[in-house]
Amino acid sequence: MENYEYAPPQKKVFLVENDSNVVVNFLKKFGQDIQVQVLGSPDEALELLNTSYAPDAVIISKYLGGLKFLEQIRDNAWTKTLPVIITSTDLNQGLIKEVVAKKGDDVFTSKFDKGDLLVRLDYFVRRRHYVAMQQTKSNALDVKIPWWKRTFDILSTGTAILLLSPLLILVAILIKLDSKGPIVYKSKRVGAGYKIFDLYKFRTMRTDADQLIKNMGDLNMYSKEKPSENTSDGLCEACRIKGVKCEQSMYLDGKSICEKQYLQEKNSKVAFMKFQNDPRITRLGKFLRNTSIDELPQLFNIFTGDISLVGNRPLPLYEAEKLTTDDYIYRFAGPGGLTGLWQVTKRGKGKTDMTEEERIQLDIEYAKNFSFKMDLMIILKTFPALLQSENV
C-alpha cells in the first residue's frame, strides 16, 4: 500500500493500517492535531523504528498482526517502553485481556468513536518525560569510584590503621574512663548515590545528645531568621486576622495544628546543623574534636568502601532529606569522603564566612570535577585545617 504522510507539528504516531477507509477517517479526525505517518505493514514499522526516532505511539490493527508486533516490540530493549495501541472493529473483554497480558498500552475501535485518543497521547508523553527525568536522576546518583581512588583508599587507610593502632587503643581507654557510654558512636549517614550506612566516630558527646538537639535550634551556626513564635491559640496569622478558627488544620503527634504554620516552620529550618561551644560535648570530646582524632574510626569506613578518603562529607538523614531537589541532589553524585573541598577552603573561618549555600555549592563542584590532582591538593591542604580556630 502507498504510504500517506500528514505532517503538522505536535505529537507523532505511526499508524499501521492497510484499510484505506480507516486511514482516511483517521486523518480527517486527528490530522490537524497530530503528525501521522501511515505504514502498510508491521515489518515496515519495525524497519522504520530501527532507523529513525521513535514516535509518541504506534497504532496498529489487530488484523495486521498487531498482537505479534506488540510481542516483538516488548522483546526489544530499544522499543520495550514504546506506547502501542491496538485497534479492532469491535472491542471485547477477551481482546482487552490479551492486550494487557502482552503489555499493550490501550485498545481502540478502528473508528475511534469511543475514548479520547488525544488524551491518551498526552498521557504517554507525560509518562515518557517522567520516566526520563527519573532515569536522569538515577544515573546522576549511580556513583562509580575510579580504580585509582579505591586503590589509594585501601593502601592508605590500611597502612594508617596499622600505624595508628596504639593511639586508637589509648583513645578508647580514655573515653571509657572519661564518661559513661560506648567508645564508638555510630550514626546513620547518607553518602554517594544516597546510600545509607553507619558512620563510625569516637564518642565525644553525652549519650543523650540526640535528644538534646531538639532544643538547640537557636545555637545553630547555619540558622536562618527565626520563625514567628507559636501562639497559644495555635492559629496562623491569616486566620488570626480574620478572627476565625483554623481553616487548614492537620493532626500531628496527637495534636491539632495549623498546616500553614507547620509548613512555615518546616521551611525555615536549615539543612546543616553545627553548634559553637556545644554543651553536649564531653571534656575529652572537646580535645578529640579540635584535633580531629574523633574521626579516626572512619578509616574503617574508608577501608570497607562506605566512603573515600577525599569526597563530600556524608550527611545525617535529617540533613540529607532537605537536599533532594534538582538543584542540590548532585552533591550526592560524588564520592563521600573523610575530608573534602569545603573543609579545606572554608572550615574554621566562622559563620560569616561559610553559609549553607556555599557549602552545598562546594560539594556540587567537587562531585562534578573531582580528579586525582584535586584529591591530592585537598589532602595536602587538610593537615593545616585539622587544628581549628573555632570550637565546633
Side-chain angles (χ1 to χ4, degrees):
M1 177 180 175
E2 181 181 359
N3 286 358
Y4 295 84
E5 187 167 353
Y6 193 95
Q10 302 297 327
K11 303 170 188 67
K12 179 180 180 180
V13 301
F14 288 173
L15 176 63
V16 186
E17 179 62 71
N18 62 1
D19 188 325
S20 298
N21 292 329
V22 173
V23 172
V24 171
N25 180 66
F26 188 92
L27 293 177
K28 286 182 178 179
K29 196 165 189 174
F30 303 109
Q32 295 296 325
D33 300 304
I34 58 178
Q35 179 181 344
V36 183
Q37 184 156 357
V38 183
L39 304 170
S41 69
D43 291 339
E44 193 175 350
L46 290 171
E47 182 179 355
L48 189 58
L49 286 171
N50 290 327
T51 58
S52 66
Y53 289 107
D56 294 304
V58 174
I59 302 172
I60 183 170
S61 170
K62 181 188 76 168
Y63 307 105
L64 279 182
L67 296 176
K68 182 179 179 181
F69 172 85
L70 181 57
E71 290 179 346
Q72 292 174 298
I73 288 292
R74 294 298 177 249
D75 287 338
N76 189 327
W78 181 254
T79 58
K80 65 179 181 180
T81 60
L82 177 66
V84 176
I85 296 173
I86 303 296
T87 63
S88 176
T89 54
D90 63 293
L91 303 183
N92 57 72
Q93 288 299 316
L95 174 61
I96 294 174
K97 289 181 179 180
E98 191 172 6
V99 172
V100 171
K102 296 181 182 297
K103 300 181 180 179
D105 295 273
D106 213 335
V107 184
F108 278 82
T109 64
S110 302
K111 294 181 180 180
F112 291 92
D113 53 354
K114 296 180 181 179
D116 192 327
L117 176 64
L118 297 180
V119 170
R120 289 299 288 164
L121 293 178
D122 282 335
Y123 167 74
F124 294 153
V125 171
R126 290 196 304 270
R127 183 180 66 182
R128 184 180 61 190
H129 177 71
Y130 174 79
V131 171
M133 290 300 296
Q134 295 300 113
Q135 188 64 38
T136 298
K137 290 182 179 181
S138 176
N139 289 341
L141 298 180
D142 185 16
V143 182
K144 303 295 185 183
I145 305 300
W147 67 267
W148 57 264
K149 193 174 184 68
R150 184 67 187 127
T151 300
F152 183 76
D153 287 342
I154 294 175
L155 294 178
S156 60
T157 55
T159 302
I161 290 172
L162 290 176
L163 295 178
L164 295 174
S165 55
L167 175 61
L168 297 175
I169 295 173
L170 176 61
V171 172
I173 295 173
L174 293 177
I175 291 174
K176 203 65 179 176
L177 295 175
D178 181 59
S179 61
K180 294 181 180 180
I183 295 171
V184 174
Y185 174 76
K186 294 191 297 184
S187 63
K188 295 292 183 182
R189 296 296 176 102
V190 179
Y194 226 80
K195 174 187 175 183
I196 300 175
F197 65 96
D198 286 325
L199 184 76
Y200 306 127
K201 296 181 72 173
F202 280 129
R203 182 176 59 82
T204 60
M205 291 187 177
R206 296 165 46 179
T207 54
D208 59 349
D210 288 340
Q211 287 70 40
L212 293 175
I213 199 172
K214 297 180 180 179
N215 301 320
M216 295 176 61
D218 56 335
L219 299 178
N220 188 4
M221 293 177 63
Y222 297 123
S223 290
K224 302 177 182 177
E225 294 183 4
K226 296 180 181 178
S228 57
E229 295 183 0
N230 295 344
T231 57
S232 58
D233 57 13
L235 298 177
C236 67
E237 185 177 357
C239 294
R240 195 177 303 110
I241 292 175
K242 293 179 181 179
V244 298
K245 293 184 178 180
C246 181
E247 298 178 327
Q248 197 170 333
S249 62
M250 61 182 291
Y251 200 70
L252 183 68
D253 294 335
K255 298 180 180 179
S256 178
I257 63 174
C258 175
E259 184 177 1
K260 291 182 180 179
Q261 188 168 321
Y262 167 77
L263 293 175
Q264 179 183 357
E265 293 176 358
K266 181 179 179 181
N267 292 333
S268 70
K269 296 178 181 179
V270 296
F272 299 110
M273 300 192 77
K274 197 171 189 178
F275 306 101
Q276 196 164 23
N277 299 316
D278 195 331
R280 301 171 299 164
I281 300 176
T282 63
R283 292 171 298 176
L284 179 62
K286 182 178 180 180
F287 169 77
L288 296 178
R289 285 188 164 211
N290 286 343
T291 57
S292 294
I293 292 177
D294 65 314
E295 297 184 351
L296 288 180
Q298 292 169 40
L299 293 172
F300 292 95
N301 285 116
I302 299 173
F303 191 78
T304 58
D306 292 327
I307 58 176
S308 184
L309 184 62
V310 180
N312 294 332
R313 289 295 288 155
L315 301 180
L317 298 181
Y318 61 84
E319 293 182 5
E321 68 181 3
K322 298 180 178 69
L323 300 179
T324 56
T325 63
D326 291 341
D327 293 335
Y328 296 146
I329 192 66
Y330 281 98
R331 68 90 57 202
F332 298 104
L338 181 63
T339 185
L341 186 59
W342 79 266
Q343 286 95 330
V344 301
T345 54
K346 293 289 185 178
R347 190 178 185 183
K349 295 185 179 180
K351 177 181 178 180
T352 58
D353 206 31
M354 165 56 90
T355 65
E356 181 185 66
E357 183 65 24
E358 284 179 311
R359 176 173 169 179
I360 295 172
Q361 293 305 320
L362 286 170
D363 288 344
I364 294 175
E365 180 183 343
Y366 178 81
K368 290 182 176 180
N369 303 309
F370 77 91
S371 63
F372 179 77
K373 182 179 180 180
M374 179 183 284
D375 279 14
L376 187 60
M377 178 272 293
I378 292 174
I379 291 173
L380 293 177
K381 288 185 176 182
T382 295
F383 296 104
L386 288 178
L387 296 177
Q388 304 174 57
S389 61
E390 58 177 334
N391 182 22
V392 294

